[in-house]
Amino acid sequence: MTKQQAIKLLKEKYLSNMKEDSELFVGVELEFPIVETNGNKTNIEVTKNLFRILANLSDFEVEKIDDNQNPIQLIHCSSKDRILFELSYNTIEFAFERARSINEVAKRFEDYLKIIQPILQENNHEIQGHGIHPLWKENDNSPVKIERYKMLMAFLAMNGTGMKTHSYPSYGAFICGNQVQLDVRRDNYIRIINAFNKIEAAKAYLFSNSEFSAEAWDTKIARDIFWEESLHGYYKENVGIYPKDYQSEEEFFNNLAKTAIFTATRGGKSYYFKPIRVEDYLDQKEITAYTADGNEKIIKPVKEDLKQHRSYQFQDLTARGTVEFRSVCTQPLETTFAPIAFELGLFVELEKLENYLEDSSFFKNEEQDYRKLRKKYSKKILSKEEKEAIQSFSKDLLDIAEAGLMKRGYKEEKFLTLPKN
């Protein structure tokens, strides 16, 4: 199996659902910690009971249960929004059905909170807006009891890979993100990925919300370190910022072929293994794989395994014909939709954004290493010069985003917030 054949399979997965002239929909996913308000660990019996109560309301149906028959994913009957546990019983995710405007999503989110918060508050718990669960250390961070999540946690704790990872393999149980998917076309997805890749420094400055006090990491976005220095970052192409601008579709897929495969399904069971680059995967004669319980099995790679491929870049091309913007921490509740408005507004004004970035003084004064720039501007303390540079850059981007939102005519610009001082 040649690299070109692997690329062909990736193209089938990621390009087949792209529409040539699609209407723009907004797909929002929000993750939040459920926090015990007196400073104690989250009581997972309280969180499981929340899902039982919701499941008994006429508006919701149970879509998935765990190994102990607890509901872990609910679907709202009319909107088709999903509410689920995100990897652990301490974090909740709202996966909204695509909508035409942010207003629709914000209204539904507000409605859900009006139901959920009082239920949790009866037992001194509530949903809060943090990129890291504030009581991660005290919590039971074991995975939701389904095979997929147990396998994922076991993979992240895997030894003997030769990679020096951080000491928090269960990080997925306590980090939370704010994500949006927007419809792309074959003729614009590379442009969108390139443009948004360039502005990660501003997004780091505007929306960082995941400081981690247990380590002396000089960053307000510890989520980046959790991803990059875990087994998901075994190959640097697999996570975070793209290393360069892409000049063509071929160049993009050449890079995607360097991302990792680490899981496969056999006989209905999920297995994990040491990450293998997509371009090398089908050349393996056999792979030593493991179940979530640690049982070993030798498997032979097959083409169908590539259907399970996913990478974790900040601008992630999905198999749904969308680009998912993944770099933003969960925000304080009152500004939940600020980054989504920012991304949507810039997306609408793509050409204006590209022209601005082409001539931006920010890049004339900085080396164009987008990874380094994001790290630089997510530091806890910036110099006066750094602060002035990033504030000016961010303000210009906010202005472009606002123009894009106003052009849409849904009054979504009200969700935009000003940069921090």
Side-chain angles (χ1 to χ4, degrees):
M1 173 60 69
T2 66
K3 176 181 174 180
Q4 288 310 312
Q5 287 171 304
I7 287 174
K8 182 170 180 282
L9 292 168
L10 286 176
K11 284 183 175 178
E12 285 171 13
K13 175 179 169 73
Y14 289 108
L15 299 179
S16 58
N17 287 324
M18 266 188 205
K19 299 176 179 63
E20 284 313 304
D21 189 26
S22 59
E23 185 181 349
L24 179 56
F25 287 94
V26 182
V28 175
E29 293 179 12
L30 304 171
E31 302 161 0
F32 295 94
I34 302 175
V35 182
E36 205 278 346
T37 53
N38 295 320
N40 302 310
K41 75 174 186 178
T42 299
N43 182 340
I44 63 173
E45 293 311 316
V46 169
T47 64
K48 289 177 192 173
N49 194 49
L50 165 69
F51 274 60
R52 288 189 208 104
I53 292 170
L54 293 177
N56 284 324
L57 300 177
S58 59
D59 292 341
F60 291 97
E61 287 180 1
V62 176
E63 200 166 38
K64 290 182 184 173
I65 55 173
D66 68 10
D67 294 346
N68 297 329
Q69 309 304 303
N70 296 301
I72 57 166
Q73 180 165 311
L74 308 170
I75 183 167
H76 189 270
C77 299
S78 56
S79 71
K80 304 305 179 194
D81 297 335
R82 269 91 176 167
I83 299 177
L84 57 145
F85 286 119
E86 170 59 23
L87 206 57
S88 84
Y89 295 101
N90 307 308
T91 53
I92 189 169
E93 176 179 332
F94 298 85
F96 293 90
E97 183 67 7
R98 66 181 195 167
R100 283 189 167 80
S101 76
I102 299 174
N103 299 308
E104 296 172 41
V105 181
K107 174 70 171 70
R108 299 209 299 265
F109 179 55
E110 190 182 325
D111 291 344
Y112 297 141
L113 283 188
K114 281 177 183 168
I115 298 167
I116 290 169
Q117 293 288 50
I119 296 170
L120 290 172
Q121 285 160 352
E122 281 180 22
N123 290 288
N124 303 314
H125 284 64
E126 65 183 12
I127 290 170
Q128 293 183 0
H130 308 282
I132 292 178
H133 197 301
L135 293 161
W136 67 271
K137 196 171 185 179
E138 291 76 15
N139 281 347
D140 173 359
N141 291 314
S142 55
V144 169
K145 289 183 168 54
I146 57 171
E147 188 188 38
R148 169 79 188 166
Y149 283 167
K150 289 189 286 187
M151 180 278 294
L152 193 53
M153 285 279 211
F155 163 70
L156 289 168
M158 187 180 188
N159 293 317
T161 64
M163 180 184 181
K164 188 179 186 313
T165 60
H166 56 63
S167 309
Y168 309 94
S170 61
Y171 73 92
F174 56 79
I175 67 168
C176 296
N178 173 307
Q179 292 153 205
V180 64
Q181 292 189 38
L182 299 171
D183 296 294
V184 292
R185 304 186 309 270
R186 190 87 180 256
D187 65 357
N188 72 2
Y189 77 93
I190 298 281
R191 291 171 57 202
I192 286 159
I193 285 169
N194 283 341
F196 278 83
N197 203 48
K198 288 186 172 89
I199 64 169
E200 283 297 342
K203 287 170 73 174
Y205 176 69
L206 291 170
F207 304 120
S208 58
N209 193 29
S210 60
E211 285 191 36
F212 190 62
S213 58
E215 296 283 349
W217 296 339
D218 184 16
T219 181
K220 292 182 174 183
I221 315 180
R223 286 174 68 253
D224 286 10
I225 295 174
F226 283 126
W227 281 103
E228 290 165 8
E229 296 183 16
S230 76
L231 279 182
H232 280 314
Y234 187 85
Y235 298 116
K236 69 179 189 300
E237 294 90 350
N238 209 55
V239 295
I241 293 178
Y242 293 104
K244 59 180 179 178
D245 296 345
Y246 292 110
Q247 305 304 317
S248 67
E249 188 168 273
E250 289 311 308
E251 198 176 10
F252 174 79
F253 276 94
N254 267 310
N255 186 74
L256 200 62
K258 295 185 186 308
T259 60
I261 295 268
F262 67 90
T263 181
T265 303
R266 295 290 183 275
K269 279 194 89 63
S270 293
Y271 292 86
Y272 69 90
F273 41 85
K274 180 179 167 181
I276 301 167
R277 290 192 192 274
V278 173
E279 63 188 15
D280 301 325
Y281 181 71
L282 292 165
D283 291 332
Q284 311 298 308
K285 289 190 168 48
E286 55 183 36
I287 296 167
T288 305
Y290 304 90
T291 64
D293 302 325
N295 296 322
E296 187 177 307
K297 182 182 176 74
I298 301 298
I299 65 171
K300 294 188 187 311
V302 294
K303 289 180 186 178
E304 281 65 39
D305 295 342
L306 293 192
K307 290 178 180 171
Q308 291 195 39
H309 171 265
R310 73 156 304 178
S311 53
Y312 300 92
Q313 288 100 356
F314 288 158
Q315 277 65 240
D316 203 34
L317 184 63
T318 78
R320 299 185 193 96
T322 65
V323 166
E324 181 176 52
F325 301 100
R326 302 175 37 85
S327 66
V328 174
C329 305
T330 291
Q331 298 295 289
L333 283 175
E334 63 274 14
T335 55
T336 290
F337 292 95
I340 293 161
F342 181 73
E343 289 155 337
L344 177 59
L346 292 174
F347 186 96
V348 169
E349 287 286 16
L350 177 61
E351 192 169 341
K352 189 184 281 190
L353 173 62
E354 289 173 322
N355 292 338
Y356 168 74
L357 293 172
E358 191 70 34
D359 298 323
S360 171
S361 59
F362 181 74
F363 291 115
K364 290 187 172 58
N365 300 323
E366 297 277 5
E367 58 174 317
Q368 292 205 17
D369 183 323
Y370 308 130
R371 281 183 179 147
K372 282 186 181 172
L373 286 175
R374 181 167 165 94
K375 283 181 169 52
K376 177 177 178 177
Y377 287 104
S378 59
K379 290 185 304 186
K380 291 176 181 175
I381 298 173
L382 299 177
S383 70
K384 182 171 177 284
E385 292 76 18
E386 288 170 340
K387 194 175 266 196
E388 285 173 357
I390 196 65
Q391 283 182 341
S392 174
F393 184 47
S394 300
K395 173 71 167 63
D396 290 344
L397 293 172
L398 281 162
D399 288 345
I400 297 169
E402 184 176 32
L405 294 169
M406 290 175 76
K407 183 188 280 188
R408 279 170 53 79
Y410 292 113
K411 295 188 165 56
E412 294 158 312
E413 58 274 13
K414 69 187 176 196
F415 294 107
L416 272 185
T417 52
L418 292 173
K420 301 166 189 170
N421 295 318

